Amino acid sequence: MVKQIFEKPVGSEQPRSLELRGKQGSPTRTLQIVAGFAIIWAVAMALTMALRSGPVPSAPTLGPPGGDHCHQGEPPDEGGESPGDNNSCSFVLVESLPLDMPYAASSPEGQPIAQTWGRLLEMARESVHVASYYWSLTGADVGVNDSSSQLGEEILKKLESLPARNVSLLVVGSIPTLALASEDLRVLERAGAQVRRVNLGRLTQGVLHSKFWVVDMRHIYLGSANMDWRSLTQVKELGAVIYNCSRLARDLWKIFQTYWDLGTPGAAIPPSWPQNYSTSINSHRPLDVDFNGTAAEAFLAASPPALCPQGRTHDLAALLQGIREAQEFVHISVMEYFPTTRFQQPPRYWPVIDNALRAAAFNRNVPIRLLVSCGVDTDPSMFAYLRSLRALHHPEANVTVEVKVFIVPIKNHSNVPFGRLNHSKYMVTETVVYIGTSNWSEDYFSNTAGVGLVLRPKASDPQGRRWAARQLVQRVFDRDWSSDYAVSLEDLPGHPDCACT
Ligand SMILES: *[C@@H]1O[C@H](CO)[C@@H](O)[C@H](O)[C@H]1NC(C)=O
Ligand SMILES: *[C@@H]1O[C@H](CO)[C@@H](O)[C@H](O)[C@H]1NC(C)=O
Ligand SMILES: *[C@@H]1O[C@H](CO)[C@@H](O)[C@H](O)[C@H]1NC(C)=O
Ligand SMILES: *[C@@H]1O[C@H](CO)[C@@H](O)[C@H](O)[C@H]1NC(C)=O
Ligand SMILES: *[C@@H]1O[C@H](CO)[C@@H](O)[C@H](O)[C@H]1NC(C)=O
Ligand SMILES: *[C@@H]1O[C@H](CO)[C@@H](O)[C@H](O)[C@H]1NC(C)=O
Ligand SMILES: *[C@@H]1O[C@H](CO)[C@@H](O)[C@H](O)[C@H]1NC(C)=O
Ligand SMILES: *[C@@H]1O[C@H](CO)[C@@H](O)[C@H](O)[C@H]1NC(C)=O
Ligand SMILES: *[C@@H]1O[C@H](CO)[C@@H](O)[C@H](O)[C@H]1NC(C)=O
Ligand SMILES: *[C@@H]1O[C@H](CO)[C@@H](O)[C@H](O)[C@H]1NC(C)=O
């Protein structure tokens, strides 16, 4: 029996500190609007199967709720650069488009994730670090016999061959996880991979939801795709690969290392992370990078607060900053949008992001477009919040708030559970792009481990706004927004492939 599992943080009490931080998160920043780009985030989806494993052992709460994590205080100094480390990086947008969605197949903007993953693994010479939520790269992992699982199976083979090539493979996964019958991690361990599982259910009442790779400490992948064959052929996903970017790669590795250390038996979140986990790369002091010849800035943000060592920007703060700095438009694509908690009892209203969007639309006349996803398993209560947000729309008063629902047609793929969904999570403004790992509701920022990458062209660069990478993400959004699969709220009722109607 196939059942959907929500990425449900177990337990009920959560630190309230995040909410406060959300409000303080963007302190007196008098910035000129930074020409911006992207927060790229990894995220996920509970595409899955099986299990419904009952409550996960719940336990002590996380670290210091009032701790000074994820602040943006004075960072330590980063050591010098390694030789050959000139921050001249190349940025590639990657996408998975579900099979049988011809609209996008004819106008792919990103490179296919499956192909890019394969290339990264072939390129690896020394090490591959993978942060993951769950594994189901084979059809057998989820009890499905479908030819579309083949690409995932090929990726698993490539991963399996790394240790024999003297490339160390380090994988960190989550407890709780999904696809419990999966053999993938055991296969990799037998091949010589080092695997650790982080019990975030116990540590933060959440899950490890990050999805990223660090290859040879120089190249990174970060995006919404899980280590799941469906993320390559059945689910809409979006991510970024950045080649030859060792400083950013080392910074992402520091995030990996926080998970790695928490993956030992009985590990506890330290009240304060040791100094070598801190970063000097954050929203206040982004890294100067040359992306495909354009001067840009980049930083990585993380959640939850307890997993942010000194200097690390919290992902919610990064996201809110992107909204607050927008002057011309905010375009958002998320799987799920709730201005509430999702998994706590009693539920709590949490309008942190919602307010930021309303304020941008009302106070600054910034047009907002929100594209959410709907599948057969979507919780229909989401639509009340979407209608509420959209109620602000008042073009005569120059307040523009548009909402559409993206529906991936099931067609003849009903044999693939939790496949036909839009899983991408990103935001693009005239200056910033955010590609995330989280649904937009409180729990994902307070309990769940995620990571985001923010990229923006340097404000001082007159070409900044025309930066190809930002424009690419914008084209992807425009393509999807104007496709037949994006349905307005009025046209939803009766749609066969969306539960929300
Ligand atoms: C987002 O919401 C969907 C639908 O509730 C759920 O299946 C999925 O696991 C959630 N989490 C993420 C990170 O996508
Ligand atoms: C940085 O390195 C790349 C590749 O090694 C090279 O093409 C580029 O010219 C270098 N940039 C600078 C500013 O030295
Ligand atoms: C999967 O399906 C194909 C044809 O649809 C069949 O030939 C094959 O034996 C099946 N494999 C398994 C393991 O059931
Ligand atoms: C892997 O490393 C070992 C020890 O350094 C060496 O003997 C072996 O030849 C290497 N194998 C390959 C495939 O490079
Ligand atoms: C990375 O830089 C090296 C030179 O330092 C170059 O040969 C290689 O093609 C670059 N890789 C990518 C993917 O751009
Ligand atoms: C920090 O230093 C400790 C002790 O040397 C080491 O075990 C750990 O891996 C280091 N962590 C990072 C992120 O460098
Ligand atoms: C509407 O808002 C936009 C964005 O701030 C602004 O450029 C434009 O001038 C406004 N139009 C009117 C009629 O107020
Ligand atoms: C689904 O339909 C497409 C064409 O519309 C076809 O190519 C594919 O083989 C079909 N798949 C299955 C599992 O029936
Ligand atoms: C998923 O969201 C992206 C983000 O805009 C959207 O472009 C795409 O059409 C959606 N795809 C699916 C399958 O829902
Ligand atoms: C950056 O350069 C890489 C390698 O040449 C290319 O594949 C990619 O499309 C470029 N990215 C953008 C945004 O132009």
Side-chain angles (χ1 to χ4, degrees):
M1 193 76 338
V2 174
K3 291 213 180 137
Q4 171 145 21
I5 295 305
F6 291 116
E7 298 171 4
K8 177 183 296 197
V10 267
S12 55
E13 270 315 302
Q14 316 219 11
R16 291 188 151 257
S17 57
L18 182 69
E19 199 169 330
L20 298 173
R21 190 170 288 109
K23 289 179 188 129
Q24 305 162 341
S26 137
T28 60
R29 194 181 313 112
T30 50
L31 292 195
Q32 69 271 51
I33 296 46
V34 192
F37 202 98
I39 296 176
I40 297 199
W41 257 25
V43 170
M45 155 154 179
L47 278 181
T48 279
M49 294 274 308
L51 135 109
R52 171 67 88 184
S53 59
V56 183
S58 122
T61 49
L62 74 164
D68 195 20
H69 297 299
C70 292
H71 71 114
Q72 301 168 5
E74 275 318 297
D77 218 300
E78 273 300 90
E81 309 197 357
S82 316
D85 207 11
N86 70 3
N87 288 339
S88 178
C89 313
S90 104
F91 172 94
V92 176
L93 187 73
V94 294
E95 287 191 275
S96 290
L97 297 168
L99 294 172
D100 296 330
M101 286 189 69
Y103 87 106
S106 64
S107 57
E109 297 285 359
Q111 296 179 11
I113 292 180
Q115 182 189 318
T116 308
W117 280 3
R119 180 169 177 224
L120 277 169
L121 295 177
E122 281 158 20
M123 202 182 264
R125 290 291 167 270
E126 287 156 23
S127 61
V128 174
H129 294 78
V130 178
S132 57
Y133 171 31
Y134 69 94
W135 286 68
S136 53
L137 283 172
T138 73
D141 285 334
V142 289
V144 173
N145 181 4
D146 189 280
S147 58
S148 68
S149 65
Q150 195 185 331
L151 288 177
E153 285 147 13
E154 287 168 10
I155 294 295
L156 185 62
K157 285 270 172 265
K158 289 201 162 98
L159 284 161
E160 205 183 331
S161 70
L162 291 175
R165 282 171 46 210
N166 278 353
V167 177
S168 55
L169 174 60
L170 293 88
V171 176
V172 60
S174 179
I175 301 173
T177 186
L178 299 175
L180 295 185
S182 169
E183 282 295 313
D184 300 5
L185 288 179
R186 280 182 283 273
V187 165
L188 295 179
E189 275 177 311
R190 278 197 298 272
Q194 300 173 64
V195 176
R196 289 189 182 175
R197 295 168 181 82
V198 183
N199 194 335
L200 277 189
R202 174 174 65 81
L203 293 167
T204 68
Q205 305 182 341
V207 298
L208 175 63
H209 201 256
S210 297
K211 305 143 213 327
F212 63 79
W213 298 13
V214 180
V215 175
D216 289 347
M217 299 297 269
R218 294 174 79 77
H219 316 297
I220 66 175
Y221 158 79
L222 203 154
S224 62
N226 285 303
M227 300 305 297
D228 182 331
W229 59 270
R230 291 165 295 191
S231 290
L232 305 176
T233 51
Q234 295 285 351
V235 180
K236 187 148 187 330
E237 310 274 10
L238 187 130
V241 172
I242 301 177
Y243 295 103
N244 280 339
C245 215
S246 44
R247 288 197 69 195
L248 207 53
R250 279 200 299 275
D251 200 50
L252 188 56
W253 172 80
K254 285 186 179 177
I255 296 177
F256 178 93
Q257 206 60 23
T258 60
Y259 307 152
W260 192 247
D261 289 1
L262 294 177
T264 53
I269 296 176
S272 162
W273 286 91
Q275 190 63 16
N276 60 341
Y277 293 78
S278 327
T279 182
S280 62
I281 301 171
N282 52 41
S283 65
H284 286 182
R285 286 217 237 156
L287 182 67
D288 285 332
V289 190
D290 177 340
F291 276 116
N292 286 34
T294 299
E297 299 177 340
F299 67 91
L300 293 153
S303 72
L307 295 193
C308 291
Q310 172 159 28
R312 179 72 61 197
T313 298
H314 184 250
D315 56 14
L316 178 61
L319 190 159
L320 293 173
Q321 179 185 6
I323 296 172
R324 288 174 182 147
E325 290 178 352
Q327 296 278 298
E328 295 173 20
F329 63 86
V330 176
H331 291 172
I332 295 164
S333 171
V334 283
M335 181 170 176
E336 206 182 77
Y337 181 87
F338 280 87
T340 65
T341 55
R342 289 287 283 141
F343 305 117
Q344 299 171 57
Q345 292 305 325
R348 191 165 70 233
Y349 195 54
W350 182 79
V352 175
I353 298 174
D354 208 55
N355 283 346
L357 292 175
R358 289 168 192 265
F362 193 91
N363 297 348
R364 307 198 312 277
N365 303 118
V366 177
I368 309 291
R369 284 185 169 175
L370 177 61
L371 185 61
V372 302
S373 185
C374 185
V376 292
D377 302 299
T378 301
D379 177 351
S381 67
M382 175 166 72
F383 286 76
Y385 304 111
L386 296 177
R387 285 193 297 269
S388 164
L389 181 61
R390 188 180 170 287
L392 210 59
H393 185 60
H394 189 196
E396 295 73 24
N398 209 6
V399 175
T400 306
V401 181
E402 297 173 279
V403 178
K404 284 189 181 182
V405 179
F406 197 94
I407 303 174
V408 180
I410 293 175
K411 298 209 170 154
N412 63 358
H413 299 282
S414 55
N415 62 322
V416 178
F418 308 112
R420 311 294 289 175
L421 269 174
N422 185 358
H423 193 228
S424 311
K425 296 165 179 76
Y426 64 92
M427 169 171 82
V428 57
T429 74
E430 81 284 358
T431 55
V432 165
V433 175
Y434 166 97
I435 300 174
T437 53
S438 301
N439 287 318
W440 287 21
S441 64
E442 183 188 346
D443 320 68
Y444 289 97
F445 297 100
S446 57
N447 303 64
T448 296
V451 60
L453 169 65
V454 182
L455 308 173
R456 51 195 186 202
K458 273 191 98 64
S460 57
D461 177 2
Q463 300 299 308
R465 292 190 176 208
R466 298 213 301 273
W467 186 29
R470 196 202 60 78
Q471 289 184 326
L472 189 54
V473 179
Q474 193 177 329
R475 281 203 304 278
V476 168
F477 184 88
D478 292 344
R479 177 197 70 198
D480 291 339
W481 179 264
S482 57
S483 79
D484 291 344
Y485 303 104
V487 178
S488 69
L489 290 177
E490 294 72 29
D491 296 337
L492 267 189
H495 202 292
D497 297 329
C498 168
C500 307
T501 60

